[in-house]
Amino acid sequence: QVQLVESGGGLVQAGGSLRLSCAASGRTFPTYATAWFRQAPGKEREFLGRISWSSGITYYADSVKGRFTISRENAKNTVYLQMNSLKPEDTAVYYCATDFYPAVVHGRPGYWGQGTQVTVSS
């Protein structure tokens, strides 16, 4: 099946920007969707947004609308998370996850990356 690898995390100052990548390999389908999540220590995993591979239509959690943008580059099987105006509270491990579209919409994607750390300093 599909394997996902996140990259692009690191240390950034508050107000700065960072772009995360989620590269997919293995058996994928045009009907897949990919979602981004994050998890800070001691907190539940938080849904950030998703994108449909076929249409490019996105959906975002209210908490990140206007600051985060999800896009995809189909030829490279890669989904991006562009994060602008970063705040210290954005510090977390960021994960991408993918599956057939209904599973992602219902919050149960079956394939997850290993995560990449994002740290936002004051």
Side-chain angles (χ1 to χ4, degrees), residues 23-105:
S25 62
R27 188 172 177 84
T28 61
F29 298 89
T31 51
Y32 270 24
T34 296
W36 285 96
F37 298 81
R38 67 185 179 190
Q39 187 168 26
K43 302 182 70 175
E44 291 287 314
R45 197 189 310 272
E46 177 188 9
F47 168 78
L48 302 176
R50 63 173 182 260
I51 188 168
S52 166
W53 274 96
S54 60
S55 68
I57 293 175
T58 54
Y59 176 84
Y60 300 97
D62 289 341
S63 60
V64 301
K65 284 182 179 177
R67 294 195 302 129
F68 291 7
T69 302
I70 300 173
S71 61
R72 91 280 201 226
E73 190 171 356
N74 290 38
K76 301 182 70 173
N77 284 339
T78 299
V79 171
Y80 303 99
L81 177 64
Q82 177 68 47
M83 304 185 293
N84 299 324
S85 302
L86 284 164
K87 308 171 182 179
E89 50 263 45
D90 293 318
T91 296
V93 177
Y94 284 69
Y95 299 89
C96 62
T98 196
D99 209 331
F100 291 107
Y101 188 81
V104 175
V105 169

Side-chain angles (χ1 to χ4, degrees), residues 10-18 83 86-87 91 118-122:
L11 177 65
V12 64
Q13 292 186 357
S17 298
L18 206 60
M83 304 185 293
L86 284 164
K87 308 171 182 179
T91 296
V118 172
T119 302
V120 184
S121 66
S122 300

